[in-house]
Amino acid sequence: PTYMDQLLGSEVMHRAEYSETNHFMYWRPGDASRVNPKPPRRPGGRARRGPPDPIKPGGWSAPTHNMRMTYTKFMEQANVTEDIPHDDIHFYFRLIGCGETGTRGDCDEGSSEWLFDELTFFQPRPNLLYLTEPSQQRGIHCRFGMQGVTIANHFDSSRNAIALLGGERRYILSHPKHCSNLALFPKFHPSERHSEVDWSDPDLEDFPQFAKAQSNEVLLQAGDVLYLPSYWFHYIV
């Protein structure tokens, strides 16, 4: 703990988010004024790279709140010994190896938030076993969660190697072939890669197809690494 305090300090603000409950779900901010799902275009008619801005349905509100906070401040909130009620505010703190992130998830140039220095094996360099194009690396995500935090079921298009450095995490995994049973949000929704179903209390009247979904359960402990292929669904406790 002392080393982390020295490394991250009490002055540098890092990416964090908080939820009104223990439930966290990623969402893309985009441009609130944008209603056309087509990608923006450059002069000359060429489409810009990157996904189009999400379309926010009527009545939708962000499931979490993005913010910046110091590691010291996060530990003041998270380092508790008693059980935290599920409906209390929970915090989630993260370092990203591609640099500090802007409001739209973009990375700042030239900053890796110390991760490549501390975890040298993951430095983007050629001839690694599975990092075949180092220039295309998406960065290391080092996540610090409070006790009781759950992450909504979702898929990632990239491959993940999940290494647990402390505590325990439960991963509930579903093969991509079960996609039709998981009731995903529609395309262009701010949380489009996520299941609408609350996996902690599924409503089978609203989502009857969810009863057909099949999953595997993996319990990770400190020192374990889980390889997660692209498009595999995962719910994290």
Side-chain angles (χ1 to χ4, degrees):
T2 302
Y3 178 72
M4 293 294 291
D5 285 333
Q6 293 174 350
L7 183 66
L8 298 177
S10 58
E11 297 181 1
V12 179
M13 306 288 281
H14 297 280
R15 183 179 182 178
E17 54 192 298
Y18 75 91
S19 171
E20 302 292 340
T21 68
N22 69 324
H23 184 74
F24 282 74
M25 179 184 291
Y26 174 80
W27 55 281
R28 287 198 301 122
D31 181 350
S33 64
R34 185 173 173 76
V35 296
N36 187 344
K38 294 182 180 180
R41 308 191 73 83
R42 290 192 179 97
R46 291 185 301 151
R48 295 176 182 171
R49 291 185 177 182
D53 286 328
I55 300 175
K56 298 177 174 62
W60 177 86
S61 60
T64 62
H65 307 275
N66 295 324
M67 59 182 297
R68 298 276 187 160
M69 69 191 312
T70 66
Y71 174 77
T72 301
K73 185 65 176 178
F74 169 75
M75 289 302 296
E76 290 175 0
Q77 300 288 338
N79 193 17
V80 295
T81 56
E82 69 273 9
D83 290 337
I84 305 171
H86 291 174
D87 56 355
D88 271 9
I89 289 178
H90 286 67
F91 289 87
Y92 199 63
F93 184 84
R94 139 182 356 180
L95 306 175
I96 300 181
C98 64
E100 298 177 357
T101 56
T103 57
R104 293 170 61 91
D106 51 316
C107 291
D108 297 339
E109 294 290 338
S111 173
S112 64
E113 296 191 296
W114 298 283
L115 288 173
F116 289 137
D117 299 327
E118 295 297 306
L119 303 171
T120 56
F121 177 80
F122 294 103
Q123 288 181 0
R125 60 184 187 272
N127 301 321
L128 284 180
L129 176 63
Y130 57 87
L131 192 61
T132 57
E133 296 184 56
S135 63
Q136 300 300 312
Q137 65 89 21
R138 305 288 288 275
I140 307 170
H141 287 242
C142 187
R143 307 169 189 268
F144 301 76
M146 288 180 64
Q147 175 183 321
V149 162
T150 64
I151 309 299
N153 179 268
H154 66 285
F155 72 86
D156 298 311
S157 58
S158 59
R159 295 170 292 172
N160 289 303
I162 301 153
L164 195 64
L165 302 182
E168 293 183 339
R169 291 290 183 274
R170 185 158 59 106
Y171 274 72
I172 299 178
L173 312 175
S174 293
H175 190 281
K177 69 182 180 181
H178 290 286
C179 178
S180 60
N181 297 324
L182 301 183
L184 300 189
F185 284 106
K187 194 172 183 180
F188 303 122
H189 187 280
S191 298
E192 63 180 347
R193 295 182 292 111
H194 292 69
S195 170
E196 287 193 63
V197 180
D198 178 357
W199 281 47
S200 65
D201 186 20
D203 187 337
L204 297 182
E205 291 188 4
D206 286 347
F207 307 104
Q209 71 273 37
F210 186 67
K212 301 177 183 178
Q214 297 181 11
S215 299
N216 299 314
E217 183 177 349
V218 178
L219 178 64
L220 295 182
Q221 297 178 316
D224 290 341
V225 178
L226 172 67
Y227 172 69
L228 193 63
S230 301
Y231 303 112
W232 272 70
F233 294 91
H234 45 292
Y235 172 69
I236 310 170
V237 180

